Amino acid sequence: MPEQYMLLMPHKVIGGSNALEQIEGLLKGKYKKAAVFTDKGIHNSGIIDYPLELLGLCNLEIIIFDELPTEPSCDEAQKVVDDFRRSGADLIVGIGGGSVMDVAKLASIAATDTYGVRDLLDKPFIGRKFADVLLIPTTAGTGSEATPNSIVTVPEKNLKVGIVNAEMLADMVILDGRMLKNLPQQIAASTGIDALAHAIECYTSNKANPISNMFAMEALKLIFDNIIPACEDPGAVKEKNSMLLAAFYAGAAITASGTTAVHALSYPLGGRYHIPHGISNAIMLLPVLKFNRPSCLKELEEIYDTVSKRNLNVRQEEKAEWVLNKISEIIRTLKIPSSLRSFGINTGDLEALVQDGMQVKRLLNNNKTTVTAEDARKLYLEVMQ
Ligand SMILES: NC(=O)c1ccc[n+]([C@@H]2O[C@H](COP(=O)([O-])OP(=O)(O)OC[C@H]3O[C@@H](n4cnc5c(N)ncnc54)[C@H](O)[C@@H]3O)[C@@H](O)[C@H]2O)c1
Ligand SMILES: [Zn+2]
């Protein structure tokens, strides 16, 4: 465990039933012009109509940017930042999944002509906040609403890169399960597994500490209990609220701790082959957890003791096995791909994947078991079967 740890959080978080109705109280009289960031999929789903109606009560000029790209590159993000800067808005309202929220956060610190998004890749600390941000997640999810991170693809590196700067922490967050009502089942499932990966990676990370452990364990409890009904039943608002809270907790765990080799090895799958973030993590999750099991037995035992609601009087090995089986069952039940076969990726791609994955040192360093290039090769090979 690190000798020191730190808690960083968004300034104000409102969650639970009717949370959206707090928009007027949060914004009225405080801002002149709101830039609403979203994407076409979310706009067309109709899910933003109600938040827009509520924004209409806030005596604000509203401008909508609904062409945000999914899993943006640094240059795509820069284009949105430039449009935002020209708009003269003093508030960003990000309504969407991680892709939208990450760009909203970036725009809040990159709306200047003194540096751009590419400069932040190497020097994230130069970013200063230029506009307040309200985030309303529509997936549960990345937990981006809780973190100071923004993830962009860097095309020439075939990688996703995290820009981390505390100035990107949201000023306001609204967690309302109604925003997940029309979320397609497949997206609900893969984004839910992303939250699960955040929680279990942070709990088993070299950077785990009392604060991150508390958030990660609460997230795991909520996810084990709610992920399946929240994904399978469009009307399960209570379970969707629980998943939103879990994703937020898991994001808070990332801020205080850090993800590990699951995310490190999944970044090239997103960066090079554009496999959606949640799916690439779902593919790498079990192989990496099994690889890590010998060094994480104590943590897996603690997870069993807290979430399983089963007999505690069994051997540590059995407890670890139960946790891994449970995750495997969730992935199977939700029909999330667990191999790279359906993406046309095969052994011809292996060396490039290993090379790219081994570059993600920021996260590999958090992994309890050291990952060598040979280990990465075996792990990628396993998911090509
Ligand atoms: N900043 C962080 O801390 C952090 C953490 C993890 C992941 N990420 C990043 O987040 C991005 C992934 O975000 P995501 O998994 O939330 O998916 P996403 O934002 O890319 O959205 C995926 C798709 O779902 C659709 N969608 C989203 N909500 C919907 C809704 N309620 N109804 C209908 N359609 C909806 C979108 O239109 C989009 O087509 C990746 O770029 C990833 O790297 C960031
Ligand atoms: Zn993730």
Side-chain angles (χ1 to χ4, degrees), residues 280-326:
S280 56
N281 283 316
I283 291 172
M284 296 314 301
L285 183 59
L286 270 172
V288 174
L289 287 180
K290 285 182 185 159
F291 169 80
N292 283 345
R293 173 162 52 184
S295 55
C296 299
L297 278 175
K298 181 175 139 297
E299 290 79 4
L300 293 171
E301 175 174 36
E302 287 164 0
I303 294 170
Y304 173 95
D305 290 348
T306 313
V307 309
S308 77
K309 302 178 190 124
R310 293 168 73 93
N311 178 13
L312 300 184
N313 202 12
V314 295
R315 286 186 310 119
Q316 193 179 46
E317 269 294 343
E318 277 177 55
K319 292 180 176 178
E321 188 66 15
W322 183 89
V323 175
L324 299 185
N325 284 341
K326 187 75 192 166

Side-chain angles (χ1 to χ4, degrees), residues 27 29 76-77 96 182 197 238-239 253 260 296 325 329 334 346:
L27 306 184
E76 288 171 327
N182 300 328
K238 187 170 145 289
E239 288 79 0
T260 61
C296 299
N325 284 341
E329 186 190 312
L334 293 176
N346 54 44

Side-chain angles (χ1 to χ4, degrees), residues 208-369:
N209 61 71
I211 289 177
S212 64
N213 282 350
M214 180 190 73
F215 283 111
M217 192 63 98
E218 285 303 310
L220 286 169
K221 272 198 252 174
L222 288 168
I223 293 168
F224 275 66
D225 282 348
N226 293 287
I227 187 167
I228 291 178
C231 291
E232 288 186 339
D233 176 1
V237 175
K238 187 170 145 289
E239 288 79 0
K240 289 177 199 291
N241 269 315
S242 296
M243 281 302 294
L244 266 178
L245 191 56
F248 179 86
Y249 284 162
I254 294 182
T255 309
S257 169
T259 53
T260 61
V262 179
H263 268 68
L265 297 184
S266 95
Y267 274 178
L269 300 175
R272 191 176 273 273
Y273 302 103
H274 306 289
I275 300 178
H277 181 74
I279 294 179
S280 56
N281 283 316
I283 291 172
M284 296 314 301
L285 183 59
L286 270 172
V288 174
L289 287 180
K290 285 182 185 159
F291 169 80
N292 283 345
R293 173 162 52 184
S295 55
C296 299
L297 278 175
K298 181 175 139 297
E299 290 79 4
L300 293 171
E301 175 174 36
E302 287 164 0
I303 294 170
Y304 173 95
D305 290 348
T306 313
V307 309
S308 77
K309 302 178 190 124
R310 293 168 73 93
N311 178 13
L312 300 184
N313 202 12
V314 295
R315 286 186 310 119
Q316 193 179 46
E317 269 294 343
E318 277 177 55
K319 292 180 176 178
E321 188 66 15
W322 183 89
V323 175
L324 299 185
N325 284 341
K326 187 75 192 166
I327 294 172
S328 165
E329 186 190 312
I330 292 171
I331 293 175
R332 251 195 340 270
T333 309
L334 293 176
K335 301 189 179 65
I336 305 167
S338 55
S339 98
L340 292 173
R341 267 191 322 251
S342 55
F343 297 95
I345 299 171
N346 54 44
T347 47
D349 303 285
L350 188 59
E351 286 317 308
L353 278 172
V354 172
Q355 206 175 25
D356 293 348
M358 291 307 291
Q359 277 185 54
V360 192
K361 299 240 177 331
R362 178 175 76 93
L363 305 184
L364 287 175
N365 288 342
N366 297 343
N367 208 65
K368 281 226 165 82
T369 310

Side-chain angles (χ1 to χ4, degrees), residues 3-24:
E3 285 178 8
Q4 270 187 358
Y5 36 89
M6 182 161 62
L7 175 64
L8 290 170
M9 286 292 237
H11 187 65
K12 191 177 273 187
V13 182
I14 300 175
S17 56
N18 299 332
L20 282 170
E21 279 75 0
Q22 299 302 318
I23 285 180
E24 192 178 351

Side-chain angles (χ1 to χ4, degrees), residues 38-48 68-72 95-103 105 137-153 160-163 168 177-184 187-188 190-192 194-195 198 250-251 254-255 259 263 267 270 275-279 281:
T38 192
D39 65 32
K40 277 276 182 259
I42 294 161
H43 204 168
N44 292 340
S45 79
I47 203 76
I48 66 164
L68 267 64
T70 302
E71 309 219 3
I95 308 178
S99 299
V100 165
M101 292 192 286
D102 279 6
V103 176
K105 284 153 59 178
T138 63
T139 60
T142 64
S144 171
E145 69 280 8
T147 73
N149 308 0
S150 180
I151 319 283
V152 288
T153 305
K160 305 203 93 184
V161 171
I163 298 170
M168 278 195 284
R178 288 173 292 177
M179 297 307 292
L180 271 58
K181 203 173 65 193
N182 300 328
L183 186 64
I187 300 176
S190 58
T191 51
D194 188 29
H198 294 163
I254 294 182
T255 309
T259 53
H263 268 68
Y267 274 178
I275 300 178
H277 181 74
I279 294 179
N281 283 316

